[in-house]
């Protein structure tokens, strides 16, 4: 019997377009003999539109941007998704950032009692909030950069106080980030107080909470982790941004950032990183997949920066490329993730 795989893509986030590309690539990779594909497009306004069942690849993403058909609100979607005679349905949320990667969609799917690819509610939410994530990493004894955080209200009451606190705790350079985002949106590097003030303004446009981190000079190494209770690691990859840091433009517009896979690191470093990646996975109660991002300093210190619970997933993104170099091609990667979704679902029953 075919598995009906419902793809959730698009969405209100800054990564709407990337998500469409991912959906197209996933559809392309699926074997029509094994899968029936149910596309569900989320518009930039947040409207959910269920498209026709697909039996094979599409030529362009245009074909996935439905403008009519059954427009469904998330609650009506419950009926749409569960209205099926197959018991082997799986949902694959190909969404990044808030309202996709942060536990909200996952919560809805839990309520519907449907198996879905990727992290559960808690891990998604904890992984989306950089402050909560780093607090959990600290508790697990994982080495990371120093950080402080503020909510908008506290900052507004006395901005100079907040800046002094950052300068005392971290100094310059430092990185200011919205607590709940990804793709480097709203992130600034600061080397003085003027820049710091500007960076606070910027980051608070995206979130009511921000995190400020000590800036490190380091190589950026990433590892893919996949599994439920027995997670496995991919080879390591290195990101070499052509610019000062790996900002949004470098990620999605310039496309000239080099990905070096496998990363040129010694066995000891790789092995320590894998251990840290698995510890981080357990600390956040991850399941399905994450991409764990590290800093490696000249002195050989390994610092965990973050895990991403729904990392970039086009065939040219780091996570799929890491697994490709580990021996898992894109179509097999999707199959594994679908199998993990079913496994976790059965585990819970
Ligand atoms: P994504 O989820 O797409 O990986 P993100 O929005 O979660 O991105 P980070 O990965 O935390 O953001 O940071 C983006 C980039 O900024 C990093 O890849 C790195 O180039 C730089 N950067 C972030 N924090 C630091 C830091 N503390 N020191 C030095 N560089 C940093
Ligand atoms: Mg991230
Ligand atoms: Mg992200
Ligand atoms: Mg990152």
């Amino acid at each position: 019997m075919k598995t009906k795989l419902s793809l959730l893509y698009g969405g209100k986030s800054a990564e709407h377009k990337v998500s469409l590309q991912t959906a197209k690539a996933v559809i392309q990779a699926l074997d029509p003999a094994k899968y029936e594909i149910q596309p569900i497009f989320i518009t930039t306004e947040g409207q959910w539109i269920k498209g026709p069942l697909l039996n094979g690849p599409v030529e362009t993403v245009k074909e996935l941007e439905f403008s009519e058909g059954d427009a469904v609100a998330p609650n009506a979607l419950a009926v749409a998704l569960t209205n099926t005679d197959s018991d082997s349905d799986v949902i694959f949320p190909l969404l990044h950032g808030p309202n996709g990667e942060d536990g909200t969609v996952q919560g809805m799917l839990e309520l519907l009692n449907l198996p879905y690819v990727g992290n559960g509610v808690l891990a998604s939410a904890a992984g989306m909030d950089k402050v909560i994530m780093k607090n959990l990493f600290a508790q697990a004894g994982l080495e990371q950069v120093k950080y402080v955080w503020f909510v908008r209200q506290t900052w507004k009451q006395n901005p100079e106080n907040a800046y002094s606190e950052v300068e005392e705790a971290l100094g310059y350079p430092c990185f200011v980030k919205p607590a709940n985002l990804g793709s480097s949106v709203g992130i600034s590097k600061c080397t003085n107080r003027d820049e710091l003030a500007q960076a606070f303004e910027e980051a608070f446009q995206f979130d009511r909470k921000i995190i400020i981190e000590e800036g490190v000079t380091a190589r950026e190494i990433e590892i893919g982790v996949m599994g439920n209770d027995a997670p496995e690691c991919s080879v390591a990859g290195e990101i070499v941004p052509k610019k000062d840091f790996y900002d949004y433009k470098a990620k999605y517009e310039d496309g000239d950032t080099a990905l070096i896979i496998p990363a040129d690191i010694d066995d000891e470093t790789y092995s320590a990183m894998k251990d840290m990646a698995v510890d981080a996975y357990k600390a956040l109660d991850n399941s399905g997949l994450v991409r764990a991002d590290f800093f490696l300093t000249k002195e050989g210190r390994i610092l965990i920066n973050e895990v991403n619970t729904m990392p970039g997933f086009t065939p040219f993104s780091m996570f799929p490329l890491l697994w490709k170099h580990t021996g898992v091609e894109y179509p097999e990667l999707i199959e594994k993730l679908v199998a993990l979704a079913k496994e976790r679902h059965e585990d819970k029953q």
Side-chain angles (χ1 to χ4, degrees), residues 15 101 181-183 308 310:
E15 284 144 315
E101 190 181 350
L181 260 178
S183 296
N308 292 285
M310 187 52 212

Side-chain angles (χ1 to χ4, degrees), residues 222 251 291 293 305-306 308:
E222 305 187 339
K251 278 176 191 172
R291 194 193 71 225
D293 296 358
N305 174 34
E306 62 162 348
N308 292 285

